Amino acid sequence: MSDALLEDAKDLALDVTAIGLIAVVPKILEIVCQITGMGFAAVARVTPDRWIACDVRDTIGFGLTAGGELKVETTICHDICRNRQTVVFDDASKDPVYAGHHTPLMYGLKSYISVPIIREDGTVFGTLCAIDPNPAKINRPEIIGMFQLYAELIAQHLDGQERLRQSETRLVEAQHAAELREQFIAVLGHDLRNPLGAIASGITLLEKTPLNERGATLVAMMHKSAGRMIELIENVLDFARGRLGGGVTLDVRREANLEHVLTQVISELRVRWPERAIAVDYDLAVPVDCDPSRIAQLFSNLLGNALTYGDPNQPVQVTALSSESRFELSVANGGVPIPAAAMARLFHPFVRGKDSPAQQGLGLGLYIASEIAKAHGGELTARSDARETRFLLRILKPH
């Protein structure tokens, strides 16, 4: 059998299975037989060269079961699917069109009704049909309307299955692409760290070497660039660990000097934004159980974000407090509020601001900050309006 024929056979088998998954079909066939008094009803998959029973109700011993076939040229269904028209007669022997037709004569039929099942894309799946060796009064509007309604219902179920299958396929493809992307950036970040470490060490040696003014300026720029690259790589590795491993790892200890940790972050960022005002308000008398390096990383992401997007004419407000019940750290800046649509995805990975040409990076900073908050059993939230944009980390201490 050729590949094309194998593929067609596979598709037809799937079509038969699709009808079997529609739980209401057996009930439809039962009702059809009860109301019409006919002994055989079926949903058939019909193609130009195949007629296959997908589901059957047979009380007259016609001998056809689900998956069984008739030669399509011996049926009327081929014409029904081609013309998209219902065929119905009460008694073939008295019908002016079908009295001498080969199908009633071959199968010993008197009464017959068949309605095309038309999908939403316009293709014809097959037919809903009923036959009986005895005459039946079925050529009536209410009977034809019932068959047409049931045919539409079956088509809707088939279309619903197809939409679900397409959605599942897209979801699997998206998940596969996401996994490949995450694995790629994890490998890339890991492989970049070693050569970048060597570059950073070389820059440190150059800083200790006597240089002219231009050389000193270039080395300072290289130092800042290397620091930015190290930050990006660490963000990538944290992201990969969070998505592919067990989340952000912590080294929690009782930190009594968290103010020094936060101040160090501010000092580092002031080197990059020397002209920006940063106002601080600390109340950290109570030690905090945390991973201070991770808190510094979170704070650096939030403060860098505020300095990048905030109004340069307004100071960035930093507030930190600790008590016996909680630790809070907030960063606020003035400027254009974050759009509502962006707020919904603010802590998703690979989300970047579009309004600031100065923004560089992968859009992982806020995502990683949120993951660090979750790893501490806390929460990172944001609110933004015309007055200010404020990010708040809140970690409640266990009682």
Side-chain angles (χ1 to χ4, degrees), residues 43-79:
V43 174
R45 176 71 173 103
V46 183
T47 71
D49 53 3
R50 302 285 292 276
W51 189 104
I52 305 173
C54 298
D55 205 342
V56 171
R57 179 176 175 81
D58 184 5
T59 62
I60 59 174
F62 188 72
L64 199 63
T65 59
E69 291 195 43
L70 299 176
K71 291 184 177 180
V72 70
E73 61 270 18
T74 68
T75 72
I76 305 174
C77 291
H78 181 264
D79 293 333

PDB file of all heavy atoms in Angstrom, residues 43-79:
ATOM      1  N   VAL A  43     -24.453   6.665  11.371  1.00  0.00           N
ATOM      2  CA  VAL A  43     -23.655   7.813  10.944  1.00  0.00           C
ATOM      3  C   VAL A  43     -22.552   7.247  10.077  1.00  0.00           C
ATOM      4  O   VAL A  43     -21.790   6.366  10.512  1.00  0.00           O
ATOM      5  CB  VAL A  43     -23.061   8.582  12.138  1.00  0.00           C
ATOM      6  CG1 VAL A  43     -22.125   9.678  11.640  1.00  0.00           C
ATOM      7  CG2 VAL A  43     -24.164   9.176  12.994  1.00  0.00           C
ATOM      8  N   ALA A  44     -22.472   7.722   8.828  1.00  0.00           N
ATOM      9  CA  ALA A  44     -21.505   7.165   7.877  1.00  0.00           C
ATOM     10  C   ALA A  44     -20.494   8.217   7.448  1.00  0.00           C
ATOM     11  O   ALA A  44     -20.833   9.380   7.252  1.00  0.00           O
ATOM     12  CB  ALA A  44     -22.229   6.616   6.646  1.00  0.00           C
ATOM     13  N   ARG A  45     -19.241   7.792   7.329  1.00  0.00           N
ATOM     14  CA  ARG A  45     -18.196   8.631   6.729  1.00  0.00           C
ATOM     15  C   ARG A  45     -18.173   8.306   5.245  1.00  0.00           C
ATOM     16  O   ARG A  45     -17.982   7.138   4.858  1.00  0.00           O
ATOM     17  CB  ARG A  45     -16.841   8.327   7.375  1.00  0.00           C
ATOM     18  CG  ARG A  45     -15.676   9.074   6.742  1.00  0.00           C
ATOM     19  CD  ARG A  45     -15.747  10.549   7.078  1.00  0.00           C
ATOM     20  NE  ARG A  45     -14.551  11.249   6.617  1.00  0.00           N
ATOM     21  CZ  ARG A  45     -14.505  12.005   5.527  1.00  0.00           C
ATOM     22  NH1 ARG A  45     -15.596  12.143   4.772  1.00  0.00           N
ATOM     23  NH2 ARG A  45     -13.396  12.622   5.193  1.00  0.00           N
ATOM     24  N   VAL A  46     -18.364   9.318   4.432  1.00  0.00           N
ATOM     25  CA  VAL A  46     -18.478   9.087   3.004  1.00  0.00           C
ATOM     26  C   VAL A  46     -17.432   9.926   2.272  1.00  0.00           C
ATOM     27  O   VAL A  46     -17.322  11.136   2.481  1.00  0.00           O
ATOM     28  CB  VAL A  46     -19.886   9.454   2.485  1.00  0.00           C
ATOM     29  CG1 VAL A  46     -20.001   9.128   0.987  1.00  0.00           C
ATOM     30  CG2 VAL A  46     -20.965   8.714   3.270  1.00  0.00           C
ATOM     31  N   THR A  47     -16.646   9.261   1.428  1.00  0.00           N
ATOM     32  CA  THR A  47     -15.695   9.933   0.547  1.00  0.00           C
ATOM     33  C   THR A  47     -16.043   9.516  -0.881  1.00  0.00           C
ATOM     34  O   THR A  47     -16.909   8.658  -1.098  1.00  0.00           O
ATOM     35  CB  THR A  47     -14.248   9.521   0.882  1.00  0.00           C
ATOM     36  OG1 THR A  47     -14.036   8.161   0.480  1.00  0.00           O
ATOM     37  CG2 THR A  47     -13.963   9.655   2.373  1.00  0.00           C
ATOM     38  N   PRO A  48     -15.357  10.075  -1.877  1.00  0.00           N
ATOM     39  CA  PRO A  48     -15.671   9.678  -3.256  1.00  0.00           C
ATOM     40  C   PRO A  48     -15.545   8.181  -3.514  1.00  0.00           C
ATOM     41  O   PRO A  48     -16.204   7.663  -4.422  1.00  0.00           O
ATOM     42  CB  PRO A  48     -14.670  10.486  -4.087  1.00  0.00           C
ATOM     43  CG  PRO A  48     -14.430  11.715  -3.271  1.00  0.00           C
ATOM     44  CD  PRO A  48     -14.455  11.250  -1.855  1.00  0.00           C
ATOM     45  N   ASP A  49     -14.713   7.489  -2.710  1.00  0.00           N
ATOM     46  CA  ASP A  49     -14.548   6.058  -2.973  1.00  0.00           C
ATOM     47  C   ASP A  49     -14.724   5.163  -1.749  1.00  0.00           C
ATOM     48  O   ASP A  49     -14.442   3.965  -1.816  1.00  0.00           O
ATOM     49  CB  ASP A  49     -13.162   5.802  -3.577  1.00  0.00           C
ATOM     50  CG  ASP A  49     -12.049   6.388  -2.726  1.00  0.00           C
ATOM     51  OD1 ASP A  49     -12.341   6.931  -1.653  1.00  0.00           O
ATOM     52  OD2 ASP A  49     -10.874   6.295  -3.154  1.00  0.00           O
ATOM     53  N   ARG A  50     -15.210   5.719  -0.628  1.00  0.00           N
ATOM     54  CA  ARG A  50     -15.401   4.897   0.579  1.00  0.00           C
ATOM     55  C   ARG A  50     -16.721   5.247   1.260  1.00  0.00           C
ATOM     56  O   ARG A  50     -17.136   6.417   1.294  1.00  0.00           O
ATOM     57  CB  ARG A  50     -14.255   5.117   1.584  1.00  0.00           C
ATOM     58  CG  ARG A  50     -12.863   4.828   1.067  1.00  0.00           C
ATOM     59  CD  ARG A  50     -12.562   3.354   0.949  1.00  0.00           C
ATOM     60  NE  ARG A  50     -12.476   2.697   2.244  1.00  0.00           N
ATOM     61  CZ  ARG A  50     -11.377   2.669   3.008  1.00  0.00           C
ATOM     62  NH1 ARG A  50     -10.269   3.290   2.595  1.00  0.00           N
ATOM     63  NH2 ARG A  50     -11.382   2.007   4.148  1.00  0.00           N
ATOM     64  N   TRP A  51     -17.375   4.227   1.807  1.00  0.00           N
ATOM     65  CA  TRP A  51     -18.551   4.401   2.676  1.00  0.00           C
ATOM     66  C   TRP A  51     -18.291   3.556   3.903  1.00  0.00           C
ATOM     67  O   TRP A  51     -18.225   2.324   3.827  1.00  0.00           O
ATOM     68  CB  TRP A  51     -19.826   3.939   1.978  1.00  0.00           C
ATOM     69  CG  TRP A  51     -21.111   4.267   2.703  1.00  0.00           C
ATOM     70  CD1 TRP A  51     -21.998   5.255   2.398  1.00  0.00           C
ATOM     71  CD2 TRP A  51     -21.670   3.584   3.840  1.00  0.00           C
ATOM     72  NE1 TRP A  51     -23.068   5.255   3.275  1.00  0.00           N
ATOM     73  CE2 TRP A  51     -22.888   4.236   4.180  1.00  0.00           C
ATOM     74  CE3 TRP A  51     -21.272   2.509   4.620  1.00  0.00           C
ATOM     75  CZ2 TRP A  51     -23.699   3.834   5.245  1.00  0.00           C
ATOM     76  CZ3 TRP A  51     -22.070   2.117   5.701  1.00  0.00           C
ATOM     77  CH2 TRP A  51     -23.266   2.773   6.006  1.00  0.00           C
ATOM     78  N   ILE A  52     -18.121   4.216   5.059  1.00  0.00           N
ATOM     79  CA  ILE A  52     -17.750   3.518   6.288  1.00  0.00           C
ATOM     80  C   ILE A  52     -18.745   3.877   7.384  1.00  0.00           C
ATOM     81  O   ILE A  52     -19.022   5.059   7.635  1.00  0.00           O
ATOM     82  CB  ILE A  52     -16.334   3.900   6.749  1.00  0.00           C
ATOM     83  CG1 ILE A  52     -15.321   3.657   5.632  1.00  0.00           C
ATOM     84  CG2 ILE A  52     -15.939   3.107   7.996  1.00  0.00           C
ATOM     85  CD1 ILE A  52     -13.930   4.160   5.953  1.00  0.00           C
ATOM     86  N   ALA A  53     -19.279   2.855   8.050  1.00  0.00           N
ATOM     87  CA  ALA A  53     -20.183   3.080   9.175  1.00  0.00           C
ATOM     88  C   ALA A  53     -19.364   3.482  10.401  1.00  0.00           C
ATOM     89  O   ALA A  53     -18.446   2.761  10.808  1.00  0.00           O
ATOM     90  CB  ALA A  53     -20.991   1.826   9.470  1.00  0.00           C
ATOM     91  N   CYS A  54     -19.680   4.642  10.974  1.00  0.00           N
ATOM     92  CA  CYS A  54     -18.969   5.112  12.175  1.00  0.00           C
ATOM     93  C   CYS A  54     -19.677   4.667  13.449  1.00  0.00           C
ATOM     94  O   CYS A  54     -19.032   4.341  14.451  1.00  0.00           O
ATOM     95  CB  CYS A  54     -18.861   6.635  12.153  1.00  0.00           C
ATOM     96  SG  CYS A  54     -17.930   7.281  10.761  1.00  0.00           S
ATOM     97  N   ASP A  55     -21.002   4.686  13.438  1.00  0.00           N
ATOM     98  CA  ASP A  55     -21.801   4.196  14.568  1.00  0.00           C
ATOM     99  C   ASP A  55     -23.122   3.698  13.998  1.00  0.00           C
ATOM    100  O   ASP A  55     -23.663   4.278  13.040  1.00  0.00           O
ATOM    101  CB  ASP A  55     -22.038   5.297  15.605  1.00  0.00           C
ATOM    102  CG  ASP A  55     -22.293   4.721  16.992  1.00  0.00           C
ATOM    103  OD1 ASP A  55     -22.614   3.514  17.074  1.00  0.00           O
ATOM    104  OD2 ASP A  55     -22.175   5.463  17.980  1.00  0.00           O
ATOM    105  N   VAL A  56     -23.658   2.644  14.587  1.00  0.00           N
ATOM    106  CA  VAL A  56     -24.800   1.951  13.998  1.00  0.00           C
ATOM    107  C   VAL A  56     -25.795   1.537  15.075  1.00  0.00           C
ATOM    108  O   VAL A  56     -25.399   1.166  16.182  1.00  0.00           O
ATOM    109  CB  VAL A  56     -24.323   0.685  13.233  1.00  0.00           C
ATOM    110  CG1 VAL A  56     -25.495  -0.178  12.806  1.00  0.00           C
ATOM    111  CG2 VAL A  56     -23.485   1.070  12.029  1.00  0.00           C
ATOM    112  N   ARG A  57     -27.083   1.632  14.721  1.00  0.00           N
ATOM    113  CA  ARG A  57     -28.140   0.973  15.511  1.00  0.00           C
ATOM    114  C   ARG A  57     -28.887   0.062  14.539  1.00  0.00           C
ATOM    115  O   ARG A  57     -29.489   0.537  13.560  1.00  0.00           O
ATOM    116  CB  ARG A  57     -29.090   1.988  16.145  1.00  0.00           C
ATOM    117  CG  ARG A  57     -30.210   1.314  16.960  1.00  0.00           C
ATOM    118  CD  ARG A  57     -31.078   2.342  17.661  1.00  0.00           C
ATOM    119  NE  ARG A  57     -32.197   1.734  18.345  1.00  0.00           N
ATOM    120  CZ  ARG A  57     -32.144   1.164  19.545  1.00  0.00           C
ATOM    121  NH1 ARG A  57     -30.996   1.152  20.201  1.00  0.00           N
ATOM    122  NH2 ARG A  57     -33.221   0.626  20.094  1.00  0.00           N
ATOM    123  N   ASP A  58     -28.845  -1.251  14.812  1.00  0.00           N
ATOM    124  CA  ASP A  58     -29.394  -2.227  13.875  1.00  0.00           C
ATOM    125  C   ASP A  58     -30.294  -3.207  14.617  1.00  0.00           C
ATOM    126  O   ASP A  58     -29.817  -4.028  15.402  1.00  0.00           O
ATOM    127  CB  ASP A  58     -28.243  -2.978  13.192  1.00  0.00           C
ATOM    128  CG  ASP A  58     -28.723  -3.952  12.119  1.00  0.00           C
ATOM    129  OD1 ASP A  58     -29.934  -3.970  11.836  1.00  0.00           O
ATOM    130  OD2 ASP A  58     -27.879  -4.674  11.564  1.00  0.00           O
ATOM    131  N   THR A  59     -31.601  -3.109  14.364  1.00  0.00           N
ATOM    132  CA  THR A  59     -32.558  -4.049  14.976  1.00  0.00           C
ATOM    133  C   THR A  59     -33.220  -4.938  13.925  1.00  0.00           C
ATOM    134  O   THR A  59     -34.140  -5.699  14.250  1.00  0.00           O
ATOM    135  CB  THR A  59     -33.646  -3.274  15.745  1.00  0.00           C
ATOM    136  OG1 THR A  59     -34.382  -2.437  14.826  1.00  0.00           O
ATOM    137  CG2 THR A  59     -33.041  -2.405  16.836  1.00  0.00           C
ATOM    138  N   ILE A  60     -32.744  -4.875  12.675  1.00  0.00           N
ATOM    139  CA  ILE A  60     -33.336  -5.671  11.602  1.00  0.00           C
ATOM    140  C   ILE A  60     -32.354  -6.668  11.030  1.00  0.00           C
ATOM    141  O   ILE A  60     -32.658  -7.352  10.045  1.00  0.00           O
ATOM    142  CB  ILE A  60     -33.883  -4.766  10.473  1.00  0.00           C
ATOM    143  CG1 ILE A  60     -32.746  -3.901   9.882  1.00  0.00           C
ATOM    144  CG2 ILE A  60     -35.020  -3.888  10.983  1.00  0.00           C
ATOM    145  CD1 ILE A  60     -33.165  -3.096   8.669  1.00  0.00           C
ATOM    146  N   GLY A  61     -31.173  -6.770  11.654  1.00  0.00           N
ATOM    147  CA  GLY A  61     -30.183  -7.721  11.179  1.00  0.00           C
ATOM    148  C   GLY A  61     -29.590  -7.364   9.838  1.00  0.00           C
ATOM    149  O   GLY A  61     -29.256  -8.249   9.028  1.00  0.00           O
ATOM    150  N   PHE A  62     -29.396  -6.071   9.593  1.00  0.00           N
ATOM    151  CA  PHE A  62     -28.797  -5.634   8.330  1.00  0.00           C
ATOM    152  C   PHE A  62     -27.358  -6.143   8.211  1.00  0.00           C
ATOM    153  O   PHE A  62     -26.845  -6.344   7.122  1.00  0.00           O
ATOM    154  CB  PHE A  62     -28.858  -4.110   8.224  1.00  0.00           C
ATOM    155  CG  PHE A  62     -28.435  -3.577   6.895  1.00  0.00           C
ATOM    156  CD1 PHE A  62     -29.241  -3.742   5.776  1.00  0.00           C
ATOM    157  CD2 PHE A  62     -27.223  -2.917   6.737  1.00  0.00           C
ATOM    158  CE1 PHE A  62     -28.858  -3.242   4.533  1.00  0.00           C
ATOM    159  CE2 PHE A  62     -26.823  -2.420   5.510  1.00  0.00           C
ATOM    160  CZ  PHE A  62     -27.643  -2.594   4.403  1.00  0.00           C
ATOM    161  N   GLY A  63     -26.704  -6.320   9.366  1.00  0.00           N
ATOM    162  CA  GLY A  63     -25.389  -6.950   9.377  1.00  0.00           C
ATOM    163  C   GLY A  63     -24.210  -6.013   9.300  1.00  0.00           C
ATOM    164  O   GLY A  63     -23.081  -6.460   9.072  1.00  0.00           O
ATOM    165  N   LEU A  64     -24.440  -4.726   9.533  1.00  0.00           N
ATOM    166  CA  LEU A  64     -23.346  -3.748   9.456  1.00  0.00           C
ATOM    167  C   LEU A  64     -23.057  -3.223  10.848  1.00  0.00           C
ATOM    168  O   LEU A  64     -23.975  -2.861  11.597  1.00  0.00           O
ATOM    169  CB  LEU A  64     -23.731  -2.602   8.531  1.00  0.00           C
ATOM    170  CG  LEU A  64     -22.594  -1.727   7.978  1.00  0.00           C
ATOM    171  CD1 LEU A  64     -21.665  -2.567   7.109  1.00  0.00           C
ATOM    172  CD2 LEU A  64     -23.168  -0.583   7.172  1.00  0.00           C
ATOM    173  N   THR A  65     -21.788  -3.171  11.222  1.00  0.00           N
ATOM    174  CA  THR A  65     -21.374  -2.646  12.522  1.00  0.00           C
ATOM    175  C   THR A  65     -20.416  -1.479  12.315  1.00  0.00           C
ATOM    176  O   THR A  65     -19.978  -1.201  11.193  1.00  0.00           O
ATOM    177  CB  THR A  65     -20.677  -3.736  13.357  1.00  0.00           C
ATOM    178  OG1 THR A  65     -19.537  -4.218  12.631  1.00  0.00           O
ATOM    179  CG2 THR A  65     -21.624  -4.906  13.630  1.00  0.00           C
ATOM    180  N   ALA A  66     -20.088  -0.797  13.423  1.00  0.00           N
ATOM    181  CA  ALA A  66     -19.161   0.329  13.347  1.00  0.00           C
ATOM    182  C   ALA A  66     -17.828  -0.121  12.752  1.00  0.00           C
ATOM    183  O   ALA A  66     -17.256  -1.128  13.166  1.00  0.00           O
ATOM    184  CB  ALA A  66     -18.946   0.928  14.724  1.00  0.00           C
ATOM    185  N   GLY A  67     -17.368   0.604  11.755  1.00  0.00           N
ATOM    186  CA  GLY A  67     -16.150   0.245  11.050  1.00  0.00           C
ATOM    187  C   GLY A  67     -16.397  -0.565   9.793  1.00  0.00           C
ATOM    188  O   GLY A  67     -15.496  -0.725   8.968  1.00  0.00           O
ATOM    189  N   GLY A  68     -17.633  -1.073   9.638  1.00  0.00           N
ATOM    190  CA  GLY A  68     -17.964  -1.842   8.448  1.00  0.00           C
ATOM    191  C   GLY A  68     -18.140  -0.946   7.235  1.00  0.00           C
ATOM    192  O   GLY A  68     -18.414   0.251   7.354  1.00  0.00           O
ATOM    193  N   GLU A  69     -17.989  -1.533   6.043  1.00  0.00           N
ATOM    194  CA  GLU A  69     -18.042  -0.740   4.818  1.00  0.00           C
ATOM    195  C   GLU A  69     -19.056  -1.306   3.830  1.00  0.00           C
ATOM    196  O   GLU A  69     -19.340  -2.505   3.810  1.00  0.00           O
ATOM    197  CB  GLU A  69     -16.666  -0.701   4.136  1.00  0.00           C
ATOM    198  CG  GLU A  69     -15.624   0.082   4.900  1.00  0.00           C
ATOM    199  CD  GLU A  69     -14.410   0.410   4.033  1.00  0.00           C
ATOM    200  OE1 GLU A  69     -14.620   0.799   2.864  1.00  0.00           O
ATOM    201  OE2 GLU A  69     -13.279   0.278   4.533  1.00  0.00           O
ATOM    202  N   LEU A  70     -19.578  -0.405   3.031  1.00  0.00           N
ATOM    203  CA  LEU A  70     -20.347  -0.750   1.844  1.00  0.00           C
ATOM    204  C   LEU A  70     -19.619  -0.167   0.643  1.00  0.00           C
ATOM    205  O   LEU A  70     -18.918   0.841   0.758  1.00  0.00           O
ATOM    206  CB  LEU A  70     -21.762  -0.166   1.919  1.00  0.00           C
ATOM    207  CG  LEU A  70     -22.664  -0.627   3.071  1.00  0.00           C
ATOM    208  CD1 LEU A  70     -23.991   0.145   3.030  1.00  0.00           C
ATOM    209  CD2 LEU A  70     -22.920  -2.127   3.001  1.00  0.00           C
ATOM    210  N   LYS A  71     -19.780  -0.787  -0.502  1.00  0.00           N
ATOM    211  CA  LYS A  71     -19.230  -0.193  -1.714  1.00  0.00           C
ATOM    212  C   LYS A  71     -19.983   1.097  -1.993  1.00  0.00           C
ATOM    213  O   LYS A  71     -21.217   1.096  -2.099  1.00  0.00           O
ATOM    214  CB  LYS A  71     -19.358  -1.160  -2.887  1.00  0.00           C
ATOM    215  CG  LYS A  71     -18.454  -2.372  -2.771  1.00  0.00           C
ATOM    216  CD  LYS A  71     -18.556  -3.250  -4.015  1.00  0.00           C
ATOM    217  CE  LYS A  71     -17.590  -4.421  -3.930  1.00  0.00           C
ATOM    218  NZ  LYS A  71     -17.656  -5.296  -5.136  1.00  0.00           N
ATOM    219  N   VAL A  72     -19.253   2.190  -2.067  1.00  0.00           N
ATOM    220  CA  VAL A  72     -19.893   3.498  -2.144  1.00  0.00           C
ATOM    221  C   VAL A  72     -20.784   3.623  -3.372  1.00  0.00           C
ATOM    222  O   VAL A  72     -21.829   4.300  -3.338  1.00  0.00           O
ATOM    223  CB  VAL A  72     -18.830   4.623  -2.097  1.00  0.00           C
ATOM    224  CG1 VAL A  72     -18.022   4.652  -3.378  1.00  0.00           C
ATOM    225  CG2 VAL A  72     -19.483   5.971  -1.841  1.00  0.00           C
ATOM    226  N   GLU A  73     -20.430   2.927  -4.456  1.00  0.00           N
ATOM    227  CA  GLU A  73     -21.243   3.031  -5.672  1.00  0.00           C
ATOM    228  C   GLU A  73     -22.575   2.308  -5.537  1.00  0.00           C
ATOM    229  O   GLU A  73     -23.480   2.512  -6.358  1.00  0.00           O
ATOM    230  CB  GLU A  73     -20.463   2.496  -6.875  1.00  0.00           C
ATOM    231  CG  GLU A  73     -20.057   1.042  -6.783  1.00  0.00           C
ATOM    232  CD  GLU A  73     -18.691   0.852  -6.135  1.00  0.00           C
ATOM    233  OE1 GLU A  73     -18.221   1.799  -5.469  1.00  0.00           O
ATOM    234  OE2 GLU A  73     -18.109  -0.239  -6.295  1.00  0.00           O
ATOM    235  N   THR A  74     -22.714   1.456  -4.487  1.00  0.00           N
ATOM    236  CA  THR A  74     -23.991   0.765  -4.278  1.00  0.00           C
ATOM    237  C   THR A  74     -24.930   1.562  -3.388  1.00  0.00           C
ATOM    238  O   THR A  74     -26.036   1.120  -3.121  1.00  0.00           O
ATOM    239  CB  THR A  74     -23.758  -0.612  -3.645  1.00  0.00           C
ATOM    240  OG1 THR A  74     -23.264  -0.452  -2.301  1.00  0.00           O
ATOM    241  CG2 THR A  74     -22.773  -1.444  -4.462  1.00  0.00           C
ATOM    242  N   THR A  75     -24.473   2.721  -2.905  1.00  0.00           N
ATOM    243  CA  THR A  75     -25.286   3.536  -1.995  1.00  0.00           C
ATOM    244  C   THR A  75     -25.775   4.794  -2.704  1.00  0.00           C
ATOM    245  O   THR A  75     -25.329   5.131  -3.801  1.00  0.00           O
ATOM    246  CB  THR A  75     -24.469   3.951  -0.767  1.00  0.00           C
ATOM    247  OG1 THR A  75     -23.508   4.944  -1.146  1.00  0.00           O
ATOM    248  CG2 THR A  75     -23.743   2.762  -0.147  1.00  0.00           C
ATOM    249  N   ILE A  76     -26.687   5.485  -2.011  1.00  0.00           N
ATOM    250  CA  ILE A  76     -27.168   6.779  -2.497  1.00  0.00           C
ATOM    251  C   ILE A  76     -26.360   7.913  -1.869  1.00  0.00           C
ATOM    252  O   ILE A  76     -26.400   9.051  -2.313  1.00  0.00           O
ATOM    253  CB  ILE A  76     -28.668   6.947  -2.184  1.00  0.00           C
ATOM    254  CG1 ILE A  76     -29.463   5.768  -2.754  1.00  0.00           C
ATOM    255  CG2 ILE A  76     -29.219   8.254  -2.741  1.00  0.00           C
ATOM    256  CD1 ILE A  76     -30.932   5.772  -2.361  1.00  0.00           C
ATOM    257  N   CYS A  77     -25.600   7.597  -0.822  1.00  0.00           N
ATOM    258  CA  CYS A  77     -24.908   8.629  -0.033  1.00  0.00           C
ATOM    259  C   CYS A  77     -23.884   9.408  -0.848  1.00  0.00           C
ATOM    260  O   CYS A  77     -23.630  10.589  -0.572  1.00  0.00           O
ATOM    261  CB  CYS A  77     -24.237   7.990   1.181  1.00  0.00           C
ATOM    262  SG  CYS A  77     -25.407   7.383   2.415  1.00  0.00           S
ATOM    263  N   HIS A  78     -23.277   8.750  -1.836  1.00  0.00           N
ATOM    264  CA  HIS A  78     -22.301   9.459  -2.651  1.00  0.00           C
ATOM    265  C   HIS A  78     -22.937  10.667  -3.331  1.00  0.00           C
ATOM    266  O   HIS A  78     -22.389  11.774  -3.344  1.00  0.00           O
ATOM    267  CB  HIS A  78     -21.699   8.514  -3.684  1.00  0.00           C
ATOM    268  CG  HIS A  78     -20.672   9.153  -4.561  1.00  0.00           C
ATOM    269  ND1 HIS A  78     -20.974   9.661  -5.800  1.00  0.00           N
ATOM    270  CD2 HIS A  78     -19.356   9.400  -4.365  1.00  0.00           C
ATOM    271  CE1 HIS A  78     -19.885  10.182  -6.330  1.00  0.00           C
ATOM    272  NE2 HIS A  78     -18.888  10.033  -5.492  1.00  0.00           N
ATOM    273  N   ASP A  79     -24.128  10.465  -3.918  1.00  0.00           N
ATOM    274  CA  ASP A  79     -24.849  11.569  -4.557  1.00  0.00           C
ATOM    275  C   ASP A  79     -25.296  12.604  -3.537  1.00  0.00           C
ATOM    276  O   ASP A  79     -25.283  13.812  -3.812  1.00  0.00           O
ATOM    277  CB  ASP A  79     -26.059  11.044  -5.325  1.00  0.00           C
ATOM    278  CG  ASP A  79     -25.653  10.203  -6.528  1.00  0.00           C
ATOM    279  OD1 ASP A  79     -24.552  10.438  -7.055  1.00  0.00           O
ATOM    280  OD2 ASP A  79     -26.432   9.316  -6.910  1.00  0.00           O
TER     281      ASP A  79
END
